[in-house]
Amino acid sequence: AQSVSQHNHHVILSEAASLELGCNYSYGGTVNLFWYVQYPGQHLQLLLKYFSGDPLVKGIKGFEAEFIKSKFSFNLRKPSVQWSDTAEYFCAVSSSGGYNKLIFGAGTRLAVHP
Amino acid sequence: EPEVTQTPSHQVTQMGQEVILRCVPISNHLYFYWYRQILGQKVEFLVSFYNNEISEKSEIFDDQFSVERPDGSNFTLKIRSTKLEDSAMYFCASSGAGVDDEKLFFGSGTQLSVL
């Protein structure tokens, strides 16, 4: 069965610090990978996705993620965080092709202090 | 950007009562989903719906749950007899059939509280 593991449940950073959130998945086949963000009081929004091609994916708001197939990882990065990045971040995986359910990780709460 | 809308934003009900959570997916989308997030836990898949029938459901989606697309625009989740453990944020999502067909658009959620 597919599963997603996010290593950090809570992360606290100061503004301008660099961010890396870990995500590992378990699935034997070809997958699509996603990072979603949920700002306080708002709905889930897609940050970025990987289907195929360049394993370094750039998303909105300066985020990027790197797919490392050999490590089953899809870590999210941002070189310099802002207070407005305070949110919960969810890694998700779906099996490739057609419609498919997303399997989410437990989420990482990021708090950025000014 | 188009949005998925959900109503109500908050729903409080008594245990054993029926509730209907409503969603209006993006108009040209073909696939519809319900997810839920119990406080402090993961977002969990409940059900997917395509071509007027359930395409996949999780073990959570038991006989107490049903989905319907009654009029070509709304997509509803009904819980027949709510239990305390049904208290959660319920998210509706939809996706299309184009280049971004695996991008799910989520609604803002309905917070269901079962007392």
Side-chain angles (χ1 to χ4, degrees):
Chain A
Q2 294 170 308
S3 67
V4 178
S5 174
Q6 291 183 239
H7 315 300
N8 315 100
H9 295 294
H10 292 92
V11 173
I12 301 172
L13 294 173
S14 298
E15 276 194 316
S18 65
L19 170 72
E20 181 158 3
L21 302 182
C23 173
N24 286 90
Y25 67 93
S26 170
Y27 182 67
T30 304
V31 295
N32 297 320
L33 296 155
F34 307 80
W35 276 97
Y36 280 84
V37 61
Q38 188 175 27
Y39 297 102
Q42 295 187 29
H43 55 85
L44 289 162
Q45 299 175 40
L46 182 67
L47 266 183
L48 48 78
K49 63 184 187 288
Y50 172 79
F51 288 174
S52 63
D54 187 345
L56 184 62
V57 181
K58 294 194 185 298
I60 61 171
K61 307 187 182 191
F63 286 90
E64 65 179 33
E66 185 175 12
F67 171 51
I68 303 179
K69 189 175 180 180
S70 61
K71 295 185 178 179
F72 297 90
S73 71
F74 190 57
N75 291 354
L76 181 71
R77 299 194 292 248
K78 185 170 184 178
S80 177
V81 294
Q82 301 170 306
W83 176 79
S84 56
D85 293 324
T86 295
E88 188 155 17
Y89 293 81
F90 295 92
C91 182
V93 63
S94 73
S95 56
S96 184
Y99 65 90
N100 273 294
K101 65 187 183 191
L102 290 178
I103 305 297
F104 283 86
T108 297
R109 285 189 183 274
L110 171 66
V112 180
H113 293 277
Chain B
E1 189 171 72
E3 284 193 345
V4 174
T5 56
Q6 288 186 244
T7 54
S9 56
H10 293 86
Q11 174 90 47
V12 181
T13 190
Q14 296 289 325
M15 192 170 56
Q17 294 296 305
E18 174 183 287
V19 294
I20 297 176
L21 309 183
R22 301 182 192 281
C23 169
V24 179
I26 292 169
S27 61
N28 61 346
H29 280 184
L30 302 177
Y31 304 100
F32 313 109
Y33 311 82
W34 283 99
Y35 287 78
R36 79 172 184 190
Q37 186 180 22
I38 295 171
L39 187 63
Q41 298 186 26
K42 291 184 182 187
V43 177
E44 301 171 293
F45 168 80
L46 292 179
V47 65
S48 60
F49 191 85
Y50 170 72
N51 200 25
N52 283 319
E53 60 183 23
I54 291 173
S55 45
E56 189 170 358
K57 60 183 181 179
S58 71
E59 60 275 11
I60 302 167
F61 195 89
D62 61 21
D63 292 345
Q64 293 299 313
F65 291 89
S66 62
V67 289
E68 197 176 34
R69 189 157 161 79
D71 56 12
S73 61
N74 291 285
F75 179 53
T76 61
L77 174 69
K78 183 194 289 186
I79 308 175
R80 251 179 286 280
S81 177
T82 50
K83 303 188 282 284
L84 295 176
E85 53 266 35
D86 294 328
S87 295
M89 178 73 88
Y90 287 81
F91 293 101
C92 174
S94 68
S95 63
V99 173
D100 274 339
D101 63 353
E102 290 182 77
K103 174 181 175 180
L104 267 63
F105 290 78
F106 284 86
S108 300
T110 294
Q111 181 67 56
L112 176 65
S113 298
V114 182
L115 306 178

